[in-house]
């Protein structure tokens, strides 16, 4: 098994690299989507709130694999353009995670006492300045565990992207199995590598959370 692991290591490393690139890129995009939608959800514009609600309900109400097929095969074929599987995978994970991040931001912002906004406004800050400088920094501390959880979910969700041909960690395992026929050993190694990735990222996030809580 050790010899198999060493022979397969280059393919595993390449798969892990693609997995991390898609996950990290998606998290940044999803954070932007979630922040915008979260602010819309606590705003007063009913039309924008309806649009945000429809988006969140559709994304959360359909499987990720269907969303991947819809974007990569459905939309590209219907609109007549091409994108790589990696780009499509990043967009799908971003759109999917963005809907959940929106609820994280909404809940985090609403958890902050309204008096914080009122106090900031009384000091002469605009609503935008008060939100960016007073409310969001406090809300972010409460959101870190939920953001970490979503990050881990998104990392594991990248395994679904193998259905559209993304050469991430899971597909690397499938390719190795097709040439070695050693499913048990290969899937064991893939599971261990996912665990190691998630454990390292969880440790980093916990250190960030501890540092922020100590400030």
């Amino acid at each position: 098994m050790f010899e198999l692991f060493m022979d397969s290591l280059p393919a595993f490393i390449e798969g892990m690299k693609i997995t991390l690139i898609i996950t990290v890129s998606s998290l940044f995009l999803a954070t932007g989507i979630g922040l915008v939608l979260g602010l819309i959800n606590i705003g007063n514009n009913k039309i924008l709130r309806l649009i945000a609600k429809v988006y969140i309900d559709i994304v959360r109400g359909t499987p990720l694999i269907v969303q991947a097929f819809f974007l990569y095969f459905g939309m590209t074929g219907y609109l007549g353009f091409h994108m790589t599987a990696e780009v499509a995978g990043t967009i799908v994970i971003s759109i999917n995670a963005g809907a959940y991040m929106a609820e994280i931001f909404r809940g985090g912002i609403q958890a902050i006492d309204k008096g914080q906004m009122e106090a900031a406004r009384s000091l002469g800050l605009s609503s935008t300045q008060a939100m960016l400088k007073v409310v969001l920094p406090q809300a972010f501390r409460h959101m870190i565990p939920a953001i970490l959880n979503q990050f881990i979910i998104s990392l594991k969700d990248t395994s679904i992207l193998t259905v559209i041909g993304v050469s991430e960690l899971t597909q690397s395992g499938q390719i190795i199995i097709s040439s070695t026929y050693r499913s048990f050993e290969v899937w064991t190694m893939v599971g261990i590598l996912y665990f190691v990735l998630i454990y390292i990222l969880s440790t980093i996030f916990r250190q960030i959370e501890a540092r922020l809580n100590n400030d």
Side-chain angles (χ1 to χ4, degrees):
M1 186 171 179
F2 180 76
E3 183 180 352
L4 175 63
F5 176 75
M6 294 306 297
D7 291 341
S8 306
L9 190 57
F12 280 140
I13 290 175
E14 184 64 25
M16 290 171 66
K17 183 176 72 173
I18 294 175
T19 294
L20 283 174
I21 289 173
I22 291 176
T23 304
V24 173
S25 301
S26 299
L27 183 67
F28 278 108
L29 293 172
T31 300
I33 294 171
L35 177 59
V36 171
L37 294 179
L39 292 174
I40 288 174
N41 278 333
I42 62 174
N44 297 321
N45 191 310
K46 293 183 179 180
I47 296 177
L48 291 179
R49 285 171 61 185
L50 177 61
I51 294 172
K53 184 179 184 304
V54 170
Y55 168 85
I56 293 171
D57 287 346
I58 290 175
V59 171
R60 295 175 66 179
T62 54
L64 179 61
I65 190 172
V66 174
Q67 297 167 16
F69 280 138
F70 176 78
L71 176 67
Y72 189 61
F73 296 113
M75 284 193 65
T76 55
Y78 183 75
L79 298 177
F81 68 92
H82 175 73
M83 68 173 70
T84 64
E86 288 75 16
V87 171
T90 302
I91 294 173
V92 167
I93 297 292
S94 301
I95 291 173
N96 184 273
Y100 293 92
M101 291 287 283
E103 293 299 286
I104 293 172
F105 275 103
R106 181 187 61 79
I109 292 171
Q110 290 182 332
I112 304 302
D113 191 280
K114 293 182 179 180
Q116 295 291 319
M117 174 66 78
E118 295 170 359
R121 293 299 305 277
S122 68
L123 293 175
L125 297 178
S126 65
S127 298
T128 302
Q129 290 174 325
M131 179 62 69
L132 294 176
K133 296 182 178 180
V134 178
V135 177
L136 279 178
Q138 296 182 65
F140 185 71
R141 296 173 186 264
H142 298 286
M143 292 187 290
I144 289 179
I147 292 174
L148 169 61
N149 185 60
Q150 183 57 50
F151 189 92
I152 292 172
I153 290 172
S154 295
L155 191 152
K156 290 188 290 186
D157 281 348
T158 59
S159 62
I160 296 175
L161 301 179
T162 188
V163 299
I164 61 172
V166 177
S167 301
E168 40 69 63
L169 183 55
T170 299
Q171 189 173 84
S172 296
Q174 290 178 327
I175 293 171
I176 294 168
I177 290 171
S178 67
S179 60
T180 62
Y181 302 102
R182 298 176 65 178
S183 298
F184 177 80
E185 294 93 333
V186 173
W187 287 128
T188 298
M189 288 184 279
V190 170
I192 291 172
L193 289 173
Y194 271 114
F195 174 80
V196 170
L197 276 177
I198 292 171
Y199 181 81
I200 292 172
L201 292 171
S202 298
T203 302
I204 292 172
F205 267 84
R206 289 192 187 101
Q207 291 178 347
I208 293 173
E209 182 182 11
R211 182 170 297 181
L212 288 174
N213 289 334
N214 291 330
D215 289 342

